[in-house]
């Protein structure tokens, strides 16, 4: 499971990646953009952090 602090850092890092993807979609991975089309941003960030 890992520590709570580590999980929190992973989610924050992935949320940052989601924001970067939204501002520069041409640089993002195709997988991430497809995931963001299907799911809300917070759900996608937590899924990637896991």
């Amino acid at each position: 499971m890992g520590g709570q602090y580590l999980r929190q850092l992973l989610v924050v890092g992935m949320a940052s990646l989601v924001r970067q993807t939204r501002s520069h979609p041409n640089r993002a991975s195709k997988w991430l953009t497809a995931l963001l089309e299907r799911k809300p941003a917070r759900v996608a960030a937590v899924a990637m952090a896991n």
Side-chain angles (χ1 to χ4, degrees):
M1 293 263 309
Q4 179 182 358
Y5 183 67
L6 179 60
R7 287 193 310 266
Q8 185 179 10
L9 284 177
L10 289 171
V11 171
V12 168
M14 290 301 112
S16 172
L17 184 62
V18 167
R19 279 194 310 272
Q20 185 180 18
T21 299
R22 289 201 169 172
S23 62
H24 303 288
N26 55 344
R27 293 188 211 166
S29 70
K30 304 274 188 248
W31 180 84
L32 180 55
T33 54
L35 180 64
L36 287 172
E37 289 175 1
R38 295 189 315 264
K39 300 290 181 182
R42 190 68 159 168
V43 173
V46 171
M48 291 185 305
N50 282 328

